[in-house]
Amino acid sequence: MFWKFKERAEWLACVDDLLPHRAVQQMTGLPQHRAGFSCGHHSLLVSYTSFCLCRRLGWNAREAARGGLLHDLYLYDWTDRGLHGAWDHLRNHPGQALRNAEERFDLTERERDIIATHMFPLTWTPYHFRESFAVSTMDKVCAVLELLGILPDTIPAPYVLPAPPRGEPAARGRASA
């Protein structure tokens, strides 16, 4: 399966400017589909599997990797029912993730679409790019595997997000503070 991380260097080259950013780092402190598995872990796995799938299909693997990493950049604890209901989170988190990503990074049209549509058909926004379909599919596959406990509890060391930087980084390339 994908979890052998054989395409590590190629994938990291696509997302290395995003990984040290404070907002991406914050995702590691947020819960995801099962206890002990963070939103950051989930987003790394979705990013990596989407990259691998798109690369094999000859699609834009770089933008799939980047959109996959940022698809859940909503930056709140979705399990806190005092903030909103579960249904509200399911329907609204893609929009919040997109707003957060747009505030921090220069996104391509495809990356925006990946983030905005990853919950289709629960949201009414359909895919406009095949990479959006790939990331949405990998998001659902990873979520099911996480819920079933099939994925490892931790990401192998080379994929763990780096330590939080001091202050907001001026990340290379397209990222902004």
Side-chain angles (χ1 to χ4, degrees):
M1 192 173 200
F2 293 116
W3 309 127
K4 295 188 190 236
F5 293 99
K6 292 181 179 179
E7 298 178 44
R8 171 181 71 186
E10 298 89 348
W11 170 71
L12 282 172
C14 297
V15 298
D16 67 343
D17 63 316
L18 303 176
L19 291 175
H21 196 279
R22 174 180 236 147
V24 174
Q25 294 288 314
Q26 287 176 314
M27 294 190 327
T28 62
L30 298 171
Q32 196 60 3
H33 301 109
R34 74 174 179 148
F37 207 80
S38 75
C39 180
H41 289 114
H42 168 75
S43 295
L44 285 168
L45 292 174
V46 170
S47 173
Y48 184 78
T49 56
S50 299
F51 170 82
C52 292
L53 177 63
C54 288
R55 188 169 181 198
R56 282 169 180 71
L57 293 172
W59 298 353
N60 191 319
R62 175 182 169 75
E63 289 181 284
R66 295 174 71 82
L69 184 61
L70 300 174
H71 82 282
D72 276 347
L73 193 72
Y74 47 82
L75 303 177
Y76 59 80
D77 181 349
W78 70 272
T79 64
D80 182 350
R81 295 297 177 241
L83 294 173
H84 48 73
W87 185 250
D88 288 338
H89 169 72
L90 285 172
R91 289 182 309 152
N92 298 324
H93 83 269
Q96 184 62 50
L98 180 58
R99 284 188 295 279
N100 288 338
E102 287 178 323
E103 288 173 7
R104 292 161 175 86
F105 306 102
D106 292 328
L107 302 175
T108 66
E109 183 181 356
R110 183 175 281 117
E111 290 165 350
R112 277 192 222 43
D113 192 68
I114 288 167
I115 298 166
T117 65
H118 80 272
M119 288 302 291
F120 184 78
L122 289 176
T123 59
W124 293 99
T125 309
Y127 314 118
H128 297 98
F129 297 94
R130 54 191 177 190
E131 293 83 0
S132 300
F133 170 74
V135 172
S136 180
T137 301
M138 289 295 93
D139 179 41
K140 290 161 181 62
V141 167
C142 289
V144 168
L145 295 176
E146 290 164 30
L147 286 167
L148 294 175
I150 294 173
L151 298 178
D153 288 331
T154 59
I155 307 298
Y159 305 97
V160 173
L161 294 174
R166 294 183 186 267
E168 198 74 28
R172 292 186 305 271
R174 301 174 357 202
S176 61

